Structures are given as structure tokens and as C-alpha cells.
Amino acid sequence: MPRAWRRGKPPISGWVQEQTEIVEDSLRKIPDTERLAAGIASLASITDPEQPYTRRPFTEFFQKGRQWLQGEMEAAGLKVRLDAAGNLVGWQAGRETLPPLMIGSHTDTVAGGGRFDGVIGIIGGVEVVRCFNEVGINLRHPLEGVEFLAEEPTDFGVSTVGSRGMVGALSPELLDKTNEQRPPLSEALTELGGCPEKVPNEVRQRGDIAAYLEMHIEQGPILDQEGIPLAAVTGIAGIRRFTVTIAGEPNHAGTTPMELRRDALVVASRFVIESELIFRSEEDSVGTVGYLQISPNMANVVPGLAELIVEMRSIDPGIIARIDERLRQKAAEIAEERGIPIRMDPLTDASPVQADPRLIEITTQACRQTDPRALVLPSGAGHDATQVGTIAPIGMIFVPSRSGISHNPAEWTDSEDIALGVQALARALVLADETF
């Protein structure tokens, strides 16, 4: 774990310490733990039978999960609609006419994903709304619960599709993205019920959201190793992705001498190994080559084309820029040495996002009221909060991931820890309601 991603303990200012606890008795009744666990289990059961816990966006399993979730949101008292960017949005009025407090997360998964990533944030948020109504907590601000479309990387190479659309970052170029198996992203969004041509008209502006809060599994090992159930989040690492295209020459594998081959896969393999060396040499960062496709992909043909997707992450934008430059220099060296062109094209670029200082204080206070041992951590994973943070104050709450495992069927978080996270989220909303 990079040193800069370790825990910290920022001071809690007096105004937070002085917040009254007039609703504390009600907050202690949140959540209904059995109902919360049953909801998570219900959504986990809606999955691709060929791959456990898989709901890829724009698939029938994702749609079935959404239909179930819409029913839960409506049962909690939210008025639900689908916005132009394909986000499932629930609304509940507040006591005053103010911008809403927003809570949310996602229900789509990576292939062979887990039961808790994203899911606990949206189901936990719905549970908070339901409990507020049951115990009589009526916030000043309206409360908006959002299940964002396609937080995970899609078949189009684009992630955080719905939250990008909400904040005006879903460009025409991204909507035109396609691949060999799928139509353009715009067409897939239309089939889902969104409206690509209306996305610009529905973009939220700064001031339209009072504050955004998201509860999530840590997807890292710190809380589990420390035996602590909660953490407030200080910021979210930036993620830069680009495609790498290596154009060799396909040829007969039995008749082409080794010295005459222009093997794109060999060059790709060299680039992957050199990339890992660069990633390992840069502190406070991580990097991955997580996608590789070759053509014609036959046992008796020298690979003529290789396509990769490379990503780098850091909470320091300068480190991301330096890694990018080093990778491009290394690609140029390999291309010259092997006589095979390597093209690198930008795919997506999400800058690091810092949580709002007021929300760091609020989430820290809420977590430590729930469990005094709560930590303060940055996030190495990306979230929809990254996009929302470009127009609104954001804060996040983490609960543990057993052994730090995520994006894996073995992903696990104890129900008791999720319940504590929901209670901390409820406390944070009450504090935010009085602050913003």
C-alpha cells in the first residue's frame, strides 16, 4: 500500500463537536439489519448464471436488477425516474426548498465480480431513506438517491457513464465509442431507456447538489487488517486510461523464420513487462494492463495486431503525468528496436478528487460516533463520486473488505459492518443537512 494512502487523523473542528444529538435516539434504530441483509442477498441472486455475481451494464441481468431496485426505492417512499444519462433517480422532498442531498452508488459489476461493490451503497442508501421515514427524521433538504449507470468499465472502454452524463462529461466522442460486438454507446443507452440527445439538457450545474455522500466497501486491506469497521474518506485517486495498438504482420507460423517475424504479441508482451517495471518504480501509484486482444488469435498464425488498455492511478496528478510520459518513451524505444509501430491513444482521464473538508469532518464525526476507532483513509479505487465531485462537495464512508479482495466472487463484507456503515451514513446526512 503506497505510503500516501495510509490513514490520517485530521482534527475535528468545534462546530462539528457542538452539533446537538436531538435525533441520536432515532439514529440508533438505523438500520433494520435483517432487511438490509435480505436486500443485498436479493440483488446478489440476480446474476448471470454463467458467471457468479455478474451484472454487466446493458445486459438483461442488469435490467432485472434495476427493476427490483426500482421497486425497493418506491417502497421506501422515493419518486423514481430514469434520467437522460440512464441513471435511476429517486427523490423525496425536504422541509425546505433547497438543493438536494444526494446519496448513491451502482449495481453493475465487472465480469465475475462480487456481491458488495457498489451494491451496499445504493441498498444502504435506500435503507436510510426508509428508516428516516419510519423513525420520523425529516431533513431540511430534499433527499435524492441515485443508482448510477455503468460505474465499471464497459465494453465500450468507458466507465462512470451515468455520473459522467449527470455532470456534463459524457462527450459525443464517448457516446460514439463502439467495439466489434456492440453498437455505439449512444445506441445501447437508448435501448436501456436513456436519451443521449437530451443528456446536455439535463446536466447538473454547480450548486444543483448541496452535497453528495456515498458508502462503499474499501476494496483494500487496511480496515480488515486493523480490525476496524469504518473509515471516512479524504479523496479519490485519479485514473488515466489509454489504448495501445501494435500493428505487426500476420503470417504463417510454420514457414516464417523467427528473424523475419513481425509478431505483435511479442511486442505487446515486452511493453506489458516494461510497464510493470515503471509502475513498480513509482511510489504512491499503481498501474495495470488489464485488457489484451490479439488478431487473428489462431494457434498457427503469427499475431499481426495487438490491442491493450493500460491504466494508472494515483492521488497525485503529477505522478500520473510522469508515468504517462515514461510509458510513451518506453513504447517509442520498443517500436524502434523491433521495427513495429506502437500507437497510444487517450481513452479516459479522471483527475484525483479531494473530499470536501466539511464532509471529511462530518463523515469522520459520523463514523466515530458509530465506532470511536474509525480511521480516515484515501480511496485507491474510482467511484461515481469522482465525477459528482466536479460540481458538488463529496464525502465517502468505507466499510471493510475481507482480505482486501474485490472484483472477485470471494468479495465479502460482514453484515454487521455494513449495518454500521449505514448508521454512519445516516448520521452524516443529518449533520450535512444542518451544514449545507
Side-chain angles (χ1 to χ4, degrees):
M1 173 66 65
R3 286 196 298 271
W5 295 10
R6 288 285 179 177
R7 63 181 173 178
K9 293 185 178 180
I12 307 302
S13 63
W15 67 264
V16 172
Q17 296 282 18
E18 294 169 3
Q19 294 298 307
T20 61
E21 297 185 1
I22 57 174
V23 294
E24 183 60 25
D25 286 343
S26 296
L27 288 169
R28 291 193 185 99
K29 301 173 184 177
I30 298 174
D32 181 323
T33 304
E34 291 185 2
R35 183 171 62 197
L36 178 65
I40 294 169
S42 294
L43 190 53
S45 70
I46 304 172
T47 181
D48 186 338
E50 301 297 322
Q51 289 186 298
Y53 312 118
T54 297
R55 283 182 308 279
R56 298 293 291 144
F58 310 108
T59 65
E60 62 174 303
F61 308 106
F62 175 72
Q63 285 283 59
K64 288 178 180 178
R66 272 205 154 175
Q67 291 168 3
W68 175 87
L69 178 61
Q70 180 171 345
E72 293 295 297
M73 294 171 76
E74 290 171 345
L78 294 168
K79 295 181 180 179
V80 184
R81 66 183 178 88
L82 192 70
D83 72 9
N87 300 306
L88 194 65
V89 181
W91 174 277
Q92 181 168 279
R95 301 196 314 268
E96 301 177 23
T97 304
L98 294 168
L101 294 173
M102 182 181 287
I103 51 178
S105 200
H106 63 99
T107 61
D108 67 298
T109 73
V110 299
R115 284 162 279 190
F116 305 97
D117 176 10
V119 167
I120 68 163
I122 188 61
I123 293 182
V126 171
E127 176 65 15
V128 168
V129 174
R130 190 177 305 207
C131 287
F132 276 2
N133 291 333
E134 290 172 350
V135 302
I137 295 176
N138 185 12
L139 302 179
R140 295 169 52 238
H141 292 76
L143 194 53
E144 200 167 18
V146 183
E147 192 267 313
F148 290 103
L149 173 64
E151 189 266 359
E152 303 290 0
T154 64
D155 294 339
F156 308 96
V158 184
S159 58
T160 58
V161 172
S163 52
R164 284 177 188 275
M166 179 176 284
V167 304
L170 190 60
S171 66
E173 291 77 16
L174 293 178
L175 285 167
D176 286 341
K177 291 283 185 182
T178 187
N179 63 27
E180 294 178 358
Q181 289 77 39
R182 300 299 300 266
L185 174 56
S186 58
E187 187 174 326
L189 178 56
T190 300
E191 292 176 358
L192 187 77
C195 189
E197 61 271 19
K198 291 185 179 179
V199 168
N201 300 330
E202 294 189 9
V203 168
R204 307 286 183 101
Q205 306 296 329
R206 190 169 295 276
D208 288 346
I209 300 169
Y212 174 77
L213 287 164
E214 181 172 352
M215 183 186 70
H216 208 278
I217 59 172
E218 181 193 353
Q219 299 180 280
I222 302 301
L223 287 175
D224 186 57
Q225 288 178 353
E226 301 273 358
I228 293 173
L230 292 169
V233 177
T234 58
I236 303 169
I239 305 175
R240 181 175 297 181
R241 296 191 183 106
F242 53 85
T243 58
V244 179
T245 305
I246 301 169
E249 182 179 40
N251 217 329
H252 196 293
T255 61
T256 308
M258 297 301 293
E259 65 273 15
L260 297 180
R261 295 184 180 207
R262 293 169 52 80
D263 190 323
L265 181 55
V266 170
V267 175
S269 301
R270 170 80 181 280
F271 178 81
V272 171
I273 292 171
E274 295 290 348
S275 297
E276 187 192 28
L277 294 175
I278 291 172
F279 297 145
R280 286 180 175 272
S281 69
E282 293 281 354
E283 291 188 351
D284 302 330
S285 69
V286 293
T288 308
V289 181
Y291 173 90
L292 170 63
Q293 185 170 355
I294 62 170
S295 176
N297 202 24
M298 299 179 66
N300 62 344
V301 181
V302 175
L305 181 69
E307 296 177 304
L308 301 84
I309 295 179
V310 183
E311 74 160 38
M312 60 203 79
R313 303 184 185 216
S314 177
I315 57 174
D316 185 336
I319 291 175
I320 293 176
R322 185 167 65 244
I323 293 174
D324 189 317
E325 182 179 0
R326 291 182 64 188
L327 288 173
R328 292 180 185 279
Q329 290 175 346
K330 183 56 66 175
E333 292 174 11
I334 297 171
E336 183 177 1
E337 176 187 325
R338 302 294 302 209
I340 295 177
I342 301 177
R343 192 180 79 238
M344 299 177 64
D345 297 309
L347 186 57
T348 59
D349 189 4
S351 299
V353 174
Q354 300 301 314
D356 182 86
R358 295 164 295 179
L359 286 174
I360 295 175
E361 293 184 5
I362 284 169
T363 53
T364 302
Q365 178 76 359
C367 287
R368 289 180 178 166
Q369 281 184 323
T370 305
D371 188 304
R373 301 170 298 163
L375 304 183
V376 180
L377 298 171
S379 174
H383 304 283
D384 289 302
T386 301
Q387 300 296 334
V388 181
T390 63
I391 65 161
I394 63 163
M396 292 189 69
I397 292 169
F398 276 167
V399 295
S401 298
R402 183 179 293 176
S403 301
I405 294 172
S406 184
H407 286 186
N408 184 314
E411 179 181 273
W412 184 262
T413 300
D414 290 338
S415 296
E416 295 81 3
D417 290 338
I418 297 172
L420 289 175
V422 172
Q423 189 174 106
L425 177 63
R427 286 192 165 99
L429 281 168
V430 169
L431 285 170
D433 188 50
E434 297 301 321
T435 303
F436 289 89

